[in-house]
Amino acid sequence: MTASLTTRAATERTPITMAAWGALGACLLAVFLQMLDLTIVNTALPEIAADLAASDAVQLLVVSLYSLTFACTLLTAARLGALLGRRRVFLCALTVFVAASLWCGLSRYGAELIVARGVQGLAAAAMSAQTIAIITASFPPARRALAFGIYGAAAGFAAITGPLAGGVLIAIDPLGVGWHAIFLINVPLGLVGLALAYRFLRQSLSEERERLDLPGALLSTLGLFLVLCPAAIGREKGWPPVLLAMIVGGCALLAVFAARQYRLTRRGGGPLVHAELFTDRGFALGAVLTVGFFGLFGGFLFSVSVAAQSGLGMTAMQTAWLMAPFALGGALGALSSPLLVTRWGPRALTVGMLIYAGAVVGIAVVIGPHAVSVDTVTLSAPVLVAGVGMGCFAAPLPALMLAGVADRITGSASGTVPTLQQLGTSAGVVALGGLFFHRVDEAAPTVTKAATAHAYLTAYTAVLWAVAAAAAALAVVTLAMPRGPAGSDA
């Protein structure tokens, strides 16, 4: 007992080196850029469409191809990082991302921009798939909660501020190049990230020198594409049977992939996803929480954007300012999460999710069932609190998930966690988006400005109540997270 306490105290006193902070800085810039580019384009779509004479299909591909290539290649990219070295893959990926951003910023045709966005998504996946493993290797176990808290704050802040940043860049046009600025801004930030990564990242190779599981890579990539592509375009296409068939086929391929990964793990091979990950209770429950939370998060952001712009006639900039307190609250919650984890352990997740659920109820009450407008000043308080709850929950979740995972398979986790996040986000947009538009159709028998605003706000209120109920259910799930520091119940 005394020896254990002495060892833990010594670990907690372990200083964080400059190399660790530098590696974290490179990861922060990478995650900021990759998350920013998931949302920043939405603001500029009208300008892009006008300048490039882009059809609806082109606009949809400009937005969705990035997220599709990003999500579908994460697992393969994580394995390549383990085999080729995380430093090498991270530097190459960030270099390609900067070059692809420059290509996007210089594009003059819709097809050219679509291809550049696809390359950008591939590079973002290769960066993202290394970050969890890099942070885990750079920080001692007792300090990882702090590192992941900062990392979570950067990711959440980037996702929320993407539309705001896009609106600001379009409005002030600092470079005099219009919409091109939303991509060109990545270049100087990416170069700073490259400098940090080159200086501070250490080369790390997997101790197990298996080959890349090519059949597994094909199964996972195609399966994820068949599931996520319909999620991205289904609403615009009216959900034809072919898209539903794609989802069924994708789920079947992912089931075959899972069975293959299990067999490879049992035989001591080199799977893309170690089945051993899901034998750890903390990681398995964390996977459920990750999919559930990002589903709520994605549906929440999607519906508020549509309600504000399509229902209330707000500009993208006004919508971004409406959600600015959420971004601020998210940063505050994420930065305070290490203190909560130190005090309460995994129960910090319960606290964060309950705060989030309560604040979402507050938002629904402020909007009201018969609203035709929104009091943004009154709304800012519950929106801020919702952000705090989101930050308190999302930031420490990766560290708590990985607490009981052996270091030798953190590389697999590094690709699995962001893949789960993308799956959750897509499922949330489909489920909550479907609920949203169903309620809009029910609540808008006439087409007038007041009726439209009322219909969209009524639909958004229904989504908020659904989000609050699901968040409360996730809070119950967090109670099963193991309390021990190593993923046990000790």
Side-chain angles (χ1 to χ4, degrees), residues 4-84:
S4 176
L5 291 175
T6 302
T7 301
R8 184 179 299 181
T11 302
E12 290 175 353
R13 290 195 301 268
T14 302
I16 302 176
T17 64
M18 180 61 70
W21 286 121
L24 179 61
C27 290
L28 292 181
L29 278 170
V31 73
F32 185 84
L33 290 174
Q34 71 204 28
M35 293 302 295
L36 188 73
D37 274 50
L38 279 172
T39 55
I40 195 172
V41 176
N42 294 286
T43 308
L45 272 182
E47 287 76 11
I48 293 174
D51 186 38
L52 302 182
S55 64
D56 289 345
V58 169
Q59 294 177 60
L60 182 61
L61 284 171
V62 167
V63 174
S64 62
L65 189 60
Y66 175 89
S67 59
L68 284 173
T69 55
F70 176 84
C72 294
T73 54
L74 280 163
L75 295 175
T76 303
R79 186 63 184 155
L80 289 175
L83 295 176
L84 304 177

Side-chain angles (χ1 to χ4, degrees), residues 56 155 185 241 243 443:
D56 289 345
I185 194 67
L243 294 185

Side-chain angles (χ1 to χ4, degrees), residues 50-462:
D51 186 38
L52 302 182
S55 64
D56 289 345
V58 169
Q59 294 177 60
L60 182 61
L61 284 171
V62 167
V63 174
S64 62
L65 189 60
Y66 175 89
S67 59
L68 284 173
T69 55
F70 176 84
C72 294
T73 54
L74 280 163
L75 295 175
T76 303
R79 186 63 184 155
L80 289 175
L83 295 176
L84 304 177
R86 301 205 179 280
R87 180 180 187 272
R88 181 180 295 118
V89 172
F90 186 91
L91 284 170
C92 290
L94 186 49
T95 301
V96 173
F97 185 88
V98 171
S101 296
L102 182 62
W103 185 10
C104 289
L106 298 178
S107 294
R108 295 180 295 171
Y109 306 100
E112 182 183 10
L113 180 58
I114 290 170
V115 175
R117 284 284 284 171
V119 175
Q120 200 183 32
L122 289 172
M127 290 190 300
S128 177
Q130 317 310 320
T131 52
I132 288 179
I134 288 172
I135 293 173
T136 301
S138 300
F139 286 81
R143 303 300 184 93
R144 287 173 189 165
L146 172 63
F148 279 117
I150 298 171
Y151 180 83
F157 186 75
I160 297 296
T161 57
L164 175 60
V168 170
L169 288 172
I170 294 296
I172 66 176
D173 195 11
L175 303 176
V177 293
W179 62 266
H180 301 270
I182 68 171
F183 298 112
L184 297 178
I185 194 67
N186 292 344
V187 175
L189 293 175
L191 292 176
V192 173
L194 276 172
L196 288 172
Y198 184 82
R199 172 67 177 82
F200 292 110
L201 289 191
R202 296 176 302 171
Q203 188 65 284
S204 61
L205 297 171
S206 173
E207 296 179 0
E208 304 171 2
R209 303 298 295 160
E210 303 95 348
R211 296 179 179 178
L212 174 67
D213 175 22
L214 285 176
L218 291 173
L219 284 170
S220 65
T221 301
L222 183 57
L224 286 169
F225 176 81
L226 290 176
V227 170
L228 295 175
C229 181
I233 66 175
R235 185 178 64 84
E236 286 80 1
K237 300 297 182 181
W239 288 104
V242 64
L243 294 185
L244 299 177
M246 286 174 64
I247 292 177
V248 173
C251 290
L253 288 179
L254 291 177
V256 174
F257 168 74
R260 177 180 176 81
Q261 301 310 288
Y262 178 76
R263 289 196 302 271
L264 284 176
T265 302
R266 288 285 301 272
R267 296 172 183 173
L272 296 180
V273 177
H274 279 266
E276 184 182 342
L277 281 173
F278 295 93
T279 63
D280 177 77
R281 185 155 65 94
F283 188 90
L285 286 171
V288 174
L289 293 172
T290 297
V291 172
F293 173 75
F294 277 89
L296 299 184
F297 186 55
F300 177 83
L301 291 183
F302 171 80
S303 53
V304 71
S305 178
V306 175
Q309 295 185 59
S310 298
L312 300 179
M314 290 184 174
T315 65
M317 179 70 112
Q318 290 172 324
T319 304
W321 281 118
L322 178 67
M323 292 303 294
F326 191 82
L328 176 60
L332 293 174
L335 293 175
S336 63
S337 64
L339 297 176
L340 299 179
V341 172
T342 300
R343 184 176 180 86
W344 295 321
R347 298 300 169 263
L349 299 179
T350 310
V351 173
M353 189 49 62
L354 288 176
I355 291 173
Y356 180 74
V360 170
V361 170
I363 296 172
V365 170
V366 169
I367 293 176
H370 304 295
V372 294
S373 63
V374 170
D375 181 355
T376 56
V377 175
T378 304
L379 195 62
S380 62
V383 169
L384 175 69
V385 176
V388 171
M390 183 272 291
C392 290
F393 178 88
L397 182 57
L400 293 171
M401 285 178 67
L402 297 173
V405 173
D407 287 346
R408 62 184 176 82
I409 58 174
T410 54
S412 178
S414 195
T416 304
V417 172
T419 301
L420 292 170
Q421 293 172 355
Q422 292 300 312
L423 284 170
T425 300
S426 297
V429 170
V430 170
L432 292 175
L435 170 63
F436 178 84
F437 287 108
H438 174 70
R439 294 302 298 269
V440 167
D441 292 339
E442 282 186 341
T446 58
V447 183
T448 65
K449 184 175 181 180
T452 299
H454 169 70
Y456 275 83
L457 289 178
T458 299
Y460 186 54
T461 303

